[in-house]
Amino acid sequence: MFDWNDLRYFLATARHESTLKASAALGVNQTTVARRIKALETALGVALFHRQQSGYRITEEGRAVLDLATAAEKAADALEQKIRSRQRNVSGTVRITGTEYMARALLAPAASLLRTRHPGINAEIIVSDRRLDLAAGEADIALRAGGTNEQPDIVRRRMPDTLWAIYASRTFLHDFGMPESEADIARYPVILGEGIVSAAPPLAYLGGKAGAGRIAFRSNSLPGLLAAAESGLGLAALPAVAAATAPDLVRCGALPAFPAQLWICWHESRRNDPLIRLASDVLAEVIATKVDLLRGEQLASPVS
């Protein structure tokens, strides 16, 4: 069985009578075109071209393949147009959940782009630190970090990793100095989590390194942790996407960072739902443009 993708290389070469011109038209290198044509010839058991110094001249067998390949190309184009037409006609409401900072940085831009491309689709954003039950219909799509404790009937689509790190305000670091090693953490006031938030590995790490009596503040929410860090109460473990909203925060570069997997999730029963597919594709597209934000690469400025 031949690779259907090889027909693209065959058609381009037949039309241009040159693998060089075909490679330019397809946006690949000439070696790739020649290799894919050879693979197609091997699979079909026929020579499709006479290879001459002046270019590639199609053989009689190649002409027979050309007619069929052209028909296949037209059928593929018609299929694509039909799918695009169906996508344009998709309508309904999709409920997408994530944390406050994910909603601000990723979900809201995705909802806007989705509405622009597909006016019939309305995206509702549900902000929650709690993992809403997709099986019970509490939300249609969830953007989740970590990837653990997921139900077996949840479909997950892997995104670029996000990152947590240790941050402090410029005023705090001016007064206490920048920590230069993990051992230094014990002499700094720290900000820790409570409840669900305290289970995050970066917060548990910071608590484990804190010195006796050095816990300056606790909060059961990311906004609370962020506000405390901005106020100069101590070192705080924060997701980079949250720290990016506070220009006065500086990442403590000598301390460890904590990559976290990021997933777009939906229930198995919605796997073939065009509404879910379109919304998840747009969300993935937006996330791909925000990798620097997710990894905090714009927050590496030194303390002045």
Side-chain angles (χ1 to χ4, degrees):
M1 183 65 182
F2 65 89
D3 186 336
W4 285 90
N5 288 319
D6 289 344
L7 292 178
R8 295 175 54 242
Y9 299 89
F10 165 71
L11 285 168
T13 302
R15 288 163 180 164
H16 293 283
E17 297 186 338
S18 163
T19 54
L20 180 60
K21 292 180 180 178
S23 66
L26 295 171
V28 299
N29 62 55
Q30 185 179 14
T31 303
T32 298
V33 176
R35 176 172 53 81
R36 298 298 290 267
I37 290 174
K38 182 62 178 176
L40 182 60
E41 289 179 323
T42 300
L44 296 177
V46 296
L48 300 173
F49 295 100
H50 298 296
R51 292 156 174 80
Q52 302 172 352
Q53 189 171 1
S54 58
Y56 274 49
R57 299 291 179 264
I58 196 163
T59 63
E60 288 301 317
E61 292 85 355
R63 290 190 184 281
V65 173
L66 179 61
D67 291 340
L68 296 172
T70 301
E73 181 184 46
K74 289 180 179 178
D77 289 343
L79 175 61
E80 182 177 6
Q81 291 302 317
K82 185 173 183 178
I83 294 298
R84 290 186 182 277
S85 176
R86 288 177 61 87
Q87 289 179 341
R88 286 192 293 270
N89 294 328
V90 172
S91 63
T93 297
V94 58
R95 296 164 301 156
I96 309 174
T97 184
T99 65
E100 177 177 340
Y101 296 103
M102 290 297 184
R104 183 184 304 180
L106 303 173
L107 303 188
S112 177
L113 181 58
L114 183 64
R115 186 62 181 269
T116 298
R117 290 187 180 172
H118 307 282
I121 298 177
N122 179 49
E124 294 181 357
I125 298 174
I126 305 173
V127 176
S128 177
D129 289 330
R130 182 172 68 86
R131 297 170 73 86
L132 299 188
D133 190 339
L134 299 178
E138 291 185 330
D140 300 313
I141 296 175
L143 183 61
R144 290 175 173 166
T148 58
N149 301 322
E150 199 60 76
Q151 295 173 313
D153 54 357
I154 298 301
V155 178
R156 300 189 302 166
R157 180 175 178 180
R158 181 76 179 268
M159 293 290 104
D161 286 354
T162 185
L163 182 132
W164 287 59
I166 310 300
Y167 296 90
S169 71
R170 293 180 185 275
T171 300
F172 177 88
L173 293 174
H174 180 270
D175 293 340
F176 286 86
M178 178 71 78
E180 297 180 357
S181 69
E182 292 183 80
D184 281 351
I185 295 175
R187 67 180 181 86
Y188 286 83
V190 298
I191 300 164
L192 299 181
E194 281 191 333
I196 297 174
V197 175
S198 66
L203 288 165
Y205 162 84
L206 190 59
K209 295 293 183 181
R214 303 301 284 174
I215 300 174
F217 185 83
R218 288 183 181 272
S219 177
N220 64 353
S221 72
L222 285 177
L225 296 174
L226 181 69
E230 286 185 283
S231 299
L233 291 179
L235 302 178
L238 295 165
V241 70
T245 66
D248 190 52
L249 291 184
V250 177
R251 178 175 163 182
C252 301
L255 301 182
F258 303 84
Q261 295 179 3
L262 187 64
W263 303 85
I264 299 175
C265 306
W266 60 90
H267 191 258
E268 168 69 27
S269 63
R270 307 291 298 277
R271 180 186 289 273
N272 297 318
D273 188 328
L275 188 63
I276 299 299
R277 185 171 61 253
L278 287 175
S280 61
D281 284 348
V282 169
L283 178 55
E285 182 179 340
V286 169
I287 291 171
T289 68
K290 303 277 189 176
V291 172
D292 286 353
L293 181 66
L294 291 173
R295 295 176 180 169
E297 294 178 3
Q298 79 284 11
L299 292 176
S301 54
V303 181
S304 57

